[in-house]
Amino acid sequence: MAPILQSTQPWVEKYRPKQVKDVAHQDEVVRCPHMLFYGPPGTGKTTTALAIAHQLFGPELYKSRVLELNASDDRGINVVRTKIKDFAAVAVGTNQRKSGYPCPPFKIIVLDEADSMTEDAQFYDFTPSTTAVQNALRRTMETYSKVTRFFFICNYVSRIIEPLASRCAKFRFKPLSEEIMSSRILYISQEEGLCLDAEALSTLSSISHGDLRRAITYLQSAARLFGSSISSENLISVSGVVPAKVVEELLKACKSGNFDLANKEVNNFIAEGYPASQMLTQLFESIVEDNDLSDEQKARISKKLGEADKCLVDGADEYLQLLDVVSNTMKAFSNMPETFAYKFSVGVLGFLVWAHHMFTVGLDVDTSAYFTAATMIIAVPTGIKIFSWFDKIRFGVRF
Ligand SMILES: Nc1ncnc2c1ncn2[C@@H]1O[C@H](COP(=O)(O)OP(=O)(O)OP(=O)(O)O)[C@@H](O)[C@H]1O
């Protein structure tokens, strides 16, 4: 059995395919213009670009013909104007064909994470800066198109400006299917002398969501911690995925309508140290599949989950966000749907606005303005008050 603990090299690099033909299941992509590879993480975009470059130039010419820039490099507008231009402008020798490699007469510039290129000193402002850098590239691409090919790699193609995208052949990388992931994982397991049963294999594919890099990383972590025989539970524990039972308990508490119980579950969850964002993802999956909820209720909870997810990304408190989600889920599960209170308060508001309109018709401008102010002062708080009364009646607390 092969040693597991000796090598410190991450397996994602050790098992990065060196040849385009070994990149699993992205056949359409590998047949070269300027290229734009986009799609979710860990699906082989960078691997394909580097494999193409290696296969075109071989190890000897690789360094002189290929420039790799990723997010860790400085890729502000000045880099585009100088480093990329300097590299692109130097003509390639005509007689550099090495045995076994096609060595076409151009260079390749690989811009990884092209959707996060920044303008110097404006890195906090995504849209204008990225656009400025990309605009600066348009000219460079045109001027040096005879001697350079650009490979843009990104997750979100919508963040690449249209003039750049339209100069490229676009290739969408899809999340890898369970079978493709499993066969690559099986191959790596055999090479590393690991023993994975069918359940562990399927768990690994499902918790990785089509991201092979993630799957390989979980596998390596599990091998380090648990040795050569890896079970489904081992993989779940290294992945940070919340055990299905914990999600179930939380949903059960929501269904019970008992706020104290739900609060206790949220407290336990936070005390266990699970990431709240992971819980939101799994809660979402469970709610979408829950037959006790109507489509409208599912839509409401999903909206709340989305808002909480954004708040967490912005640095909000995990406990409060989760409690907010849980309270909204409780409302959705409760027999008196939120829509009733909502519609009632909106109805009161609507009535007052309508009454205001009827009374003010024919009044002079000043009287009408006073009346409008009075209506807003009465109508809005009244609506909100009624809304909160309903919450108090139902849960004894206002969320
Ligand atoms: N299609 C694939 N075939 C074989 N291995 C793959 C494939 N996709 C990913 N991998 C494995 O995952 C690792 C990471 O892949 P890669 O860097 O190409 O992903 P990516 O799509 O560029 O992701 P990101 O958008 O995060 O940069 C590779 O080193 C390789 O081990």
Side-chain angles (χ1 to χ4, degrees):
M1 198 165 282
I4 295 164
L5 299 173
Q6 282 169 7
S7 168
T8 51
Q9 189 188 17
W11 290 354
V12 284
E13 287 312 323
K14 184 172 173 187
Y15 291 99
R16 189 189 281 278
K18 307 285 179 297
Q19 303 245 324
V20 177
K21 70 177 170 52
D22 297 331
V23 180
H25 200 59
Q26 304 290 0
D27 309 337
E28 306 89 341
V29 180
V30 296
R31 288 183 225 131
C32 182
H34 296 302
M35 305 251 211
L36 173 55
F37 295 165
Y38 63 97
T43 47
K45 300 180 294 298
T46 311
T47 306
T48 303
L50 298 183
I52 291 174
H54 275 290
Q55 271 187 279
L56 285 177
F57 301 112
E60 278 178 55
L61 279 184
Y62 186 86
K63 276 226 156 87
S64 63
R65 294 289 193 91
V66 182
L67 177 65
E68 278 176 62
L69 292 172
N70 60 39
S72 55
D73 298 300
D74 180 9
R75 296 183 312 176
I77 205 154
N78 288 333
V79 173
V80 171
R81 293 214 176 103
T82 54
K83 202 165 170 180
I84 293 180
K85 249 170 145 177
D86 292 348
F87 180 80
V90 179
V92 296
T94 45
N95 199 16
Q96 289 185 319
R97 200 179 178 97
K98 301 283 163 182
S99 60
Y101 295 100
C103 299
F106 55 77
K107 295 177 170 189
I108 291 179
I109 296 179
V110 180
L111 281 167
D112 210 345
E113 288 140 76
D115 44 2
S116 57
M117 289 186 293
T118 56
E119 186 174 12
D120 302 338
Q122 286 194 19
F123 54 86
Y124 54 86
D125 187 353
F126 165 73
T127 318
S129 58
T130 305
T131 309
V133 182
Q134 292 184 24
N135 272 319
L137 267 176
R138 287 161 66 173
R139 276 299 135 250
T140 318
M141 276 175 87
E142 260 162 23
T143 315
Y144 304 108
S145 65
K146 282 211 173 112
V147 287
T148 313
R149 298 287 180 276
F150 280 88
F151 285 16
F152 295 100
I153 302 173
C154 65
N155 292 128
Y156 304 103
V157 70
S158 52
R159 292 186 187 171
I160 302 294
I161 58 169
E162 188 49 33
L164 267 198
S166 65
R167 285 169 166 81
C168 301
K170 290 187 222 155
F171 296 98
R172 180 173 55 86
F173 281 62
K174 37 198 185 246
L176 294 163
S177 71
E178 213 169 303
E179 299 84 70
I180 303 289
M181 300 251 289
S182 297
S183 73
R184 187 77 185 159
I185 293 294
L186 268 182
Y187 166 74
I188 296 174
S189 307
Q190 276 161 11
E191 291 290 307
E192 297 294 330
L194 302 178
C195 175
L196 247 77
D197 58 26
E199 193 195 347
L201 201 58
S202 134
T203 302
L204 186 53
S205 299
S206 72
I207 58 178
S208 308
H209 299 286
D211 180 341
L212 192 49
R213 178 200 285 122
R214 207 192 295 190
I216 300 173
T217 308
Y218 291 160
L219 186 68
Q220 186 171 16
S221 314
R224 283 245 169 87
L225 279 172
F226 303 105
S228 61
S229 184
I230 297 171
S231 69
S232 173
E233 288 74 35
N234 298 155
L235 289 164
I236 288 179
S237 71
V238 295
S239 68
V241 169
V242 181
K245 205 165 170 295
V246 177
V247 183
E248 260 169 44
E249 288 298 319
L250 193 67
L251 270 180
K252 221 158 91 189
C254 294
K255 282 181 187 176
S256 75
N258 181 337
F259 179 75
D260 288 340
L261 184 63
N263 185 24
K264 207 172 119 210
E265 287 297 333
V266 173
N267 265 315
N268 287 346
F269 175 84
I270 298 292
E272 287 291 326
Y274 295 118
S277 57
Q278 179 63 33
M279 177 53 119
L280 297 187
T281 310
Q282 290 179 242
L283 214 47
F284 172 72
E285 285 164 8
S286 304
I287 278 161
V288 166
E289 284 167 17
D290 199 308
N291 294 329
D292 295 347
L293 288 164
S294 69
D295 289 351
E296 193 180 340
Q297 289 168 319
K298 286 181 187 180
R300 277 178 191 284
I301 302 173
S302 302
K303 187 165 170 270
K304 195 70 235 168
L305 285 167
E307 287 166 6
D309 191 44
K310 163 85 173 65
C311 293
L312 286 180
V313 171
D314 291 344
D317 183 84
E318 293 204 335
Y319 168 72
L320 289 178
Q321 288 303 319
L322 208 52
L323 198 61
D324 189 30
V325 165
V326 163
S327 68
N328 278 277
T329 311
M330 281 172 77
K331 284 181 187 175
F333 272 117
S334 79
N335 290 331
M336 188 200 286
E338 182 191 2
T339 49
F340 179 71
Y342 179 76
K343 280 180 185 158
F344 192 84
S345 48
V346 166
V348 170
L349 275 172
F351 173 76
L352 289 168
V353 170
W354 172 79
H356 161 256
H357 176 72
M358 296 307 282
F359 280 120
T360 50
V361 171
L363 293 180
D364 64 76
V365 177
D366 281 349
T367 321
S368 173
Y370 288 131
F371 205 87
T372 304
T375 308
M376 291 313 289
I377 291 165
I378 299 165
V380 175
T382 308
I384 293 171
K385 202 82 201 157
I386 291 171
F387 189 72
S388 77
W389 280 339
F390 273 103
D391 274 350
K392 279 183 184 146
I393 291 164
R394 280 152 63 215
F395 300 126
V397 59
R398 184 168 175 240
F399 301 113

